[in-house]
Amino acid sequence: MKLNYEFYVDASPETIWNILVTPEGTRQIFYGCVLESTFEPGADYAYVGPGQDGDRTVHVYGKWLAFEPYRTMSCTEHPGPSYTPNHASQESRMTFTLEPVGKCTKMTLVNDEFSPDHPSIQKTADSWWIILSNIKTLAETGKTLDLGW
């Protein structure tokens, strides 16, 4: 399965990139999580925040495959250990690409290479629409969507 999303955002690649990687940005779009990493290809990363295991719950983790600031980031992705006992065998690839289009940015997300029988494909497919819409809204308005959560 391949999940593919494209959004045109009335913001610069730098604005969107900062939402994707800084603690101020990720807390707003990834349910209070911070992206912890050295941000180098081959390095580990983890989205850590409030959850089942307290304030330091690992929600998603993996390794960077590519990391080019303001352009692209690609990584392997595993669900956090508190979500499923066989989390290490459940993997997909996530690739964000940012391309300037006039004064806007084309933001593309491809989530693919899911391991066989990955249990979260449908939940992931549904969640990305919310997350990406929130990124677009935050980049354009400076505030997130009020989803009533």
Side-chain angles (χ1 to χ4, degrees):
M1 165 156 275
K2 179 179 180 179
L3 305 174
N4 188 34
Y5 307 86
E6 294 179 352
F7 280 74
Y8 287 83
V9 184
D10 189 14
S12 69
E14 292 82 5
T15 297
I16 298 166
W17 187 265
N18 287 331
I19 291 170
L20 293 171
V21 301
T22 67
E24 298 79 23
T26 59
R27 278 189 192 105
Q28 294 181 78
I29 59 164
F30 290 122
Y31 312 104
C33 289
V34 172
L35 177 56
E36 295 182 353
S37 179
T38 60
F39 301 106
E40 301 163 338
D44 293 332
Y45 77 89
Y47 285 95
V48 179
Q52 293 179 188
D53 299 329
D55 289 341
R56 300 254 337 129
T57 299
V58 174
H59 293 272
V60 174
Y61 71 95
K63 287 197 179 293
W64 293 114
L65 303 171
F67 196 87
E68 298 174 48
Y70 315 117
R71 257 190 109 222
T72 189
M73 61 176 164
S74 182
C75 57
T76 61
E77 181 180 47
H78 301 270
S82 65
Y83 292 101
T84 179
N86 58 341
H87 57 89
S89 66
Q90 296 172 2
E91 183 175 277
S92 69
R93 180 179 62 178
M94 176 181 73
T95 304
F96 269 99
T97 306
L98 304 175
E99 299 173 57
V101 178
K103 293 183 179 179
C104 298
T105 301
K106 179 181 178 184
M107 175 178 65
T108 303
L109 169 68
V110 176
N111 197 180
D112 61 0
E113 296 187 5
F114 285 88
S115 57
D117 301 321
H118 196 295
S120 303
I121 294 174
Q122 190 56 54
K123 183 178 178 185
T124 299
D126 295 343
S127 296
W128 276 127
W129 287 112
I130 296 167
I131 293 168
L132 294 167
S133 294
N134 222 4
I135 292 169
K136 178 176 170 51
T137 300
L138 181 59
E140 292 177 344
T141 70
K143 57 185 179 178
T144 57
L145 296 168
D146 182 355
L147 298 166
W149 300 341

